Amino acid sequence: MHPAIRRIEYYLTRHLDGLLLGLVLALMAIGVVVLISASNLSAARLTGQLVNIVFALGLLWLFANIPPHYLLRLAFPLYVFGVLMLVAVALAGDMVHGARRWLDLGVTRIQPSEFMKIAVPLAMAWYFDRYEATLRLRNYAVAATMLVVPVALIARQPDLGTTMLILAAGFFVLFLAGLSWRIIAALLAAAVAALPFVWSALHDYQRQRILTLLDPAQDPLGTGYHTIQSTIAVGSGGWFGKGWLQGTQTHLEFLPERTTDFVFAVYAEEFGLFGCVVLLALYLLVISRGMVITGDAPTMFARLLAGAITLTFFAYVFVNMGMVSGILPIVGVPLPLISYGGTSLVSICIGIGILMSIQSHKKLVQT
């Protein structure tokens, strides 16, 4: 290989983590294969997803090359900018299907809540890093307030899935920053005590989703339809599945939202238990690699951010597979790196790019 080409290759790949990138590409490839079947060979869907993948990988590379100390400087301004965008959504956002989640910028529409999946843990990690030497209970209270503000704004849109993911990301930062187990237990007890008030504050469709989880058969053609059809698809896959393009629940169009939130049901029906084990193994390897990077992080900021990104990725997988399998209510959380769509794919790839940056720049920090 010519030295100039080798030099270009080095500069393009020097901050990329080979193992993590390989796992991401494998999951994306599985997503493309499943999408071809789930979309009934739709060329438009396939082309759209390939464009999403190229764009998301470009952002992954970009953030992998941004040193963590630059992210540290930008953390709080990005958080403030994100909160202001959420306020703008609340005041003048576009209403789509009964939810006000989008902000029209003229040339395009954006969903600021997706941006906050990265901005919230980034800002909270910055805050704890700033007060690392003098952490007190009041610091945890301030960080919790930083979490509650965007969560409340997103919950009123309403967007339960994104609310849960950002809440989880913020909790992981608090936990990794050393929040006392006694405080966590007290918070859990308070959350249980507040359930009646939370129930009354939920929208009708959100309450119905929880009731449907307990008994999907009470409305098999209405609110229970998604859960019933997805569990039938998952169970009918058997050991090795019905084969690619052979899923009856998918191709007879019984399965709703089969390219997005319920793509795992398509995969389970066509590739069976064996395929699900392979998929879970890939996800576990991504999470394990993320936790190794978290453990090796040289600063508190990097450790909290890497841990929050990794555990939020786990929450994505757990919630999606749980709702498709009927053990969790339907909250509209995509299967990471596999579901069709650009917004979640972009936010996940940005997070993975940050993980790679933390890993590749740690030696520079230590020396």
Side-chain angles (χ1 to χ4, degrees), residues 113-193:
S113 58
E114 288 292 330
F115 170 79
M116 297 306 287
K117 291 178 181 177
I118 297 297
V120 169
L122 192 66
M124 292 177 67
W126 161 82
Y127 178 78
F128 279 118
D129 183 82
R130 184 179 182 184
Y131 293 97
E132 178 181 6
T134 58
L135 278 180
R136 299 289 187 271
L137 184 59
R138 65 175 178 271
N139 297 119
Y140 292 97
V142 172
T145 303
M146 293 173 66
L147 172 62
V148 168
V149 171
V151 163
L153 289 169
I154 295 168
R156 74 183 298 274
Q157 291 180 353
D159 188 349
L160 185 57
T162 303
T163 299
M164 288 177 59
L165 290 172
I166 294 177
L167 195 59
F171 171 78
F172 293 141
V173 174
L174 291 169
F175 174 73
L176 293 170
L179 185 63
S180 167
W181 279 104
R182 286 182 291 183
I183 296 176
I184 293 174
L187 291 173
L188 289 175
V192 171

Side-chain angles (χ1 to χ4, degrees), residues 31-332:
V32 170
V33 170
V34 179
L35 176 64
I36 291 172
S37 180
S39 65
N40 286 322
L41 306 177
S42 169
R45 284 267 168 163
L46 177 59
T47 303
Q49 186 67 350
L50 290 175
V51 170
N52 292 335
I53 287 173
V54 171
F55 181 65
L57 287 174
L59 288 175
L60 184 153
W61 179 86
L62 176 64
F63 276 83
N65 283 272
I66 298 176
H69 64 270
Y70 284 133
L71 294 175
L72 181 65
R73 295 176 188 173
L74 293 172
F76 190 67
L78 288 176
Y79 171 83
V80 173
F81 176 70
V83 170
L84 290 176
M85 284 201 299
L86 289 177
V87 172
V89 169
L91 296 176
D94 288 348
M95 184 73 73
V96 180
H97 301 305
R100 195 182 299 274
R101 303 172 185 173
W102 297 88
L103 193 61
D104 192 345
L105 300 181
V107 294
T108 186
R109 289 195 313 170
I110 61 172
Q111 190 174 358
S113 58
E114 288 292 330
F115 170 79
M116 297 306 287
K117 291 178 181 177
I118 297 297
V120 169
L122 192 66
M124 292 177 67
W126 161 82
Y127 178 78
F128 279 118
D129 183 82
R130 184 179 182 184
Y131 293 97
E132 178 181 6
T134 58
L135 278 180
R136 299 289 187 271
L137 184 59
R138 65 175 178 271
N139 297 119
Y140 292 97
V142 172
T145 303
M146 293 173 66
L147 172 62
V148 168
V149 171
V151 163
L153 289 169
I154 295 168
R156 74 183 298 274
Q157 291 180 353
D159 188 349
L160 185 57
T162 303
T163 299
M164 288 177 59
L165 290 172
I166 294 177
L167 195 59
F171 171 78
F172 293 141
V173 174
L174 291 169
F175 174 73
L176 293 170
L179 185 63
S180 167
W181 279 104
R182 286 182 291 183
I183 296 176
I184 293 174
L187 291 173
L188 289 175
V192 171
L195 285 179
F197 302 100
V198 173
W199 178 262
S200 63
L202 291 176
H203 293 263
D204 290 339
Y205 79 93
Q206 293 171 334
R207 286 196 290 265
Q208 190 59 49
R209 285 180 179 178
I210 296 173
L211 294 174
T212 299
L213 172 68
L214 301 175
D215 183 16
Q218 66 176 336
D219 189 9
L221 298 179
T223 55
Y225 184 80
H226 289 62
T227 301
I228 292 172
Q229 297 302 324
S230 65
T231 52
I232 289 173
V234 171
S236 66
W239 287 97
F240 298 102
K242 297 176 179 178
W244 186 50
L245 302 176
Q246 301 302 314
T248 53
Q249 293 296 112
T250 300
H251 294 285
L252 295 177
E253 299 190 356
F254 287 109
L255 189 64
E257 308 293 341
R258 55 187 178 273
T259 62
T260 52
D261 294 347
F262 288 86
V263 71
F264 176 64
V266 178
Y267 179 85
E269 183 182 27
E270 297 191 351
F271 296 96
L273 179 62
F274 178 77
C276 291
V277 170
V278 172
L279 183 62
L280 283 171
L282 290 173
Y283 278 131
L284 286 173
L285 286 171
V286 171
I287 294 165
S288 298
R289 182 59 181 159
M291 293 311 295
V292 169
I293 292 172
T294 300
D296 291 342
T299 66
M300 187 175 195
F301 170 75
R303 185 172 68 252
L304 296 181
L305 184 56
I309 290 171
T310 303
L311 293 174
T312 303
F313 184 86
F314 162 77
Y316 260 103
V317 177
F318 177 78
V319 172
N320 180 272
M321 291 186 174
M323 73 179 192
V324 171
S325 304
I327 62 174
L328 290 175
I330 297 170
V331 292

